[in-house]
Every structure is written in structure tokens, then in C-alpha cells.
Amino acid sequence: MVLAGPGSGKTTVIVNRIQALISAGTGPEQILVITFTRAAAKEMEERYQRAAGKSRMGSPVFGTFHSVFFSILKKHCGFSGSNIVTPSLQKAIIRKVLSDPALPLVYTDDIAELLLSEVSRIKNSGGPERAGGPRFLEPESFFRFYRSYDRALRSMGQLDFDDMLLLCLRLFEEKPQVLLEERRRFRYFLVDEFQDINALQYRILRLMAYPGNNLFIVGDDDQSIYGFRGSDPGIMLGFPRDYPKSRTLLLGLNYRSGRQIIEASGTLIGHNRNRFKKKLSPGSSRESGVFIREYETEEAEYSGFLRLLLELRSGGVPLGEVAVLGRTNGDLLRLTEFLKERGIPYRGKSEEGEGLRMMTFHGSKGLEFDHVFILNANEGVTPHKKNGKGEALEEERRMFYVAMTRARKNLHILYTKSRYNRTQKRSRFVTELLEDKKGLYGRFKGFGSR
């Protein structure tokens, strides 16, 4: 298990691990490299190919959990892409299921999204028999819906995204010869972003890796921020228990951020209890700044931000090296209107073109910028008002940590004293930073303050 903090070079470690295995005589085709997105899998494969150069003798298999497990279903069960349900058909099925008078819901697109989210959570827990109860609706009504939805999919020969995993697990459990065939095919398993794994993915991975247990997992429990998708940082925390002979290595140098940002983010995340204790150090001599800025109103916050942005631009900083991060898209919406009125170009996470970058904490993961502004760092916004205690609060703190560690040179945290004529409290995360005694922060107050 490699604990890889922000900016610590985990992709390089995975590529070097692949090369070391191949140099030791492992056939490349026996190595399975799993990531969580197609873009990450493609990047990993390209990095490997560049590093291997002309000496490359074949290539490992790179893919996401879904692509790898669906390829197994295609091979052994005869599925094809035509069996994956389209979003429009999925909603038509839900509309039909909800016409059942025994179900107390009327179809809307929002209700459909909520139901699909809950179905996904149940399936990623291993099915209804392994999952807890639903988070909304009373259990009898929800599971009536779940069974009807699932039957409708099967009757049409369709799979939803999460069925790729659930059916793969059932295939391995019901046909041991298929599992043995896949075990002979792959001997070494490398998993990137392991902190994002869920219970179902982990069960399938453990089945495939047994009995050799040649698992090489890389991740950072402090960056586990996808609980709403079923990700569980407890799986990574429990890895040494599940594999008592495993070794744990820390990539402790952050090559991205300056010292002050590293120390400030470390102070914040240290308030979480359920984590691997770790201390990160700068991998370069880069200095940085952490600035906590208080404003009277939201309008003053935006005006102060704009002044700082214009100073950066006049100093030669490209707008593409500046990011504004908010807890939700809604937190960014009012700022986009403010900037539009003043002719400031901006863009989201993946649009092409020059402009200030704006995205949510979740959307910023994996990215980095010279200058980062965290917007609306107020209680009830971050942490969200619904997530003020327990594991939900710890995930909120991890989200704030991810946002902080996107910054290379300067990090600005902004909050307001009032909004909509109501008094606001600064986020407890800001308080945790200000209570630190290291004197890491510049602190500023007032309209248009610097």
C-alpha cells in the first residue's frame, strides 16, 4: 500500500512499478492496471508507453473497474454495448415503475435522479441483501421500486452502469471456472486512487487477486471525497488488516505546493480522526502564501476577489493559472454572473480556451493551479449544513483539504460576515486554521481588502 499525498508523483511510481515487474520477467499481459476514469486510464497508458519507449515488449491491460469487469461479462456472457441501458430508456422505465399506485412517488426528473442514486448505492454495496436501508422513502416502498426496476431491465436484456460490477461478482460466485480463468490471466494488480474504491469493487478485486494477492494499491485516504457514490475510505484504512503481510510506504514529498500550503493543509486534515497519520514535506524550495480574507458581504467578497484577480492579471499571470473553487455549483453561480457583467472570461473544468477556471471542490480533484481561491468559506456552505458531524463531517473536511492542495503558489480562503442580510459564521475549517500557532497565514479584513 502506497500512501501518496497531493503532488507526490503517484503516476510515476505506478509506471516504475510496471517496468520493474516486466524487468523481473513478468509478462506485460499478466499485469492489470485499474483506475477510476477513462481519462486516467488513458493517461496512465500513455505515460507507460513514453517511459518504455522502443524497449516495450507488449503492454499491460489498462482500464477502469467498469471497463475491465464489463469486458469479462462480454467474454463469458455474450453481452455487448447494446445491452447497456441508455439514460432515456432508464428514465422511461422509472416512469413506468412509478405508475404503480402502491408507490407513493410521482415521476419527475429530480425524483428519477434521486432514485437512480439510491439504486447505485445499493448495487455498489453488493445488492439489497448487503446494503443498509434507503436514505429516503420507507424501506418497503423503495425495495418494491428497486425490484420492479431491476426486473424491467432484465426483461429488456439491459444493464445499468452498476450491473457491470454486480453481475461480474455473481458470475465469479456462480461459475468458479470463470474466476479461475481470470486468475490465470492476471497475476499482478495495480490500483490507482484506491481511496475511491467501494465495497463491491473491492470484493471483486480480492476474488481475482487470490491466492497470490499481488496487489499494489496507491492512494490517499485524506482525498476520499466520493461517499455519495459509495466510496469508503475505511476500505483503505482496513487494508493492512485484510492483508497482514502487506507493506505500507509513504510518498511524503509534495512537489506541487509551497511549504506554507503543505503545512496549512496538514493542520486542517489533522483534525480528522479516521485516517492514516502522515506528515508531508515540500519536495522543492518553493515558497507560497496562505491568505484568509474576511468580507462584510457577498458583494464585497466578489469585489475583493476581482481586485486581486486583476492584480494577478496585470502582473502577467495567465487567467488559466487561476482557479476559483466552490463547495457546489450553486456557490459559483452568482460569481459567474458578477464576472460576466464585468467582462471577465471564465470556464469550467474541461472547456477549451483561455479564462479563469471555476469548479467545485469535487471537480478540482487531480488538477493544480498557481493561484487558488476558495469561495464562501462559511459554516453551512463548507461543511454543508447537512453534513455537520461524524463521517459526513470528516468527508467535508477532506473536500476542503483537496481544494487547498490544488494550489502551487498562493491559496486564498474567502468568507463573509453576512449574506442575504443574515449574519454568517466563518467555516469551522477556517477556525481550525486560524487556531494553528505557526503563524502561517496572512489575514485580511474589509471591503476590497488585500
Side-chain angles (χ1 to χ4, degrees), residues 97-98 100-105 115 118-119 133-134 136-149 151:
V97 169
L98 290 184
D100 180 350
L103 291 173
L105 287 176
L115 287 168
E118 196 65 14
V119 167
F136 73 103
L137 274 183
E138 51 88 20
E140 183 178 347
S141 293
F142 173 76
F143 286 113
R144 183 185 182 97
F145 164 82
Y146 181 97
R147 289 189 295 270
S148 298
Y149 166 77
R151 278 197 302 269

Side-chain angles (χ1 to χ4, degrees), residues 73-85:
L73 291 177
K74 287 195 289 187
K75 182 167 66 172
H76 296 284
C77 303
F79 286 112
S80 69
S82 64
N83 295 111
I84 301 174
V85 68

Side-chain angles (χ1 to χ4, degrees), residues 260 263-264 267 290-292 432-434 436 439-443:
Q260 291 84 352
E263 292 186 11
T267 293
V290 179
F291 306 98
I292 295 175
E432 289 165 2
L433 291 171
L434 290 173
D436 180 43
L440 293 169
Y441 318 109
R443 191 177 176 196

Side-chain angles (χ1 to χ4, degrees), residues 176-188:
Q177 69 277 14
V178 171
L179 177 57
L180 287 174
E181 182 178 331
E182 295 302 319
R183 283 174 175 169
R184 286 193 291 267
R185 180 184 172 199
F186 296 116
R187 289 181 55 209
Y188 293 90

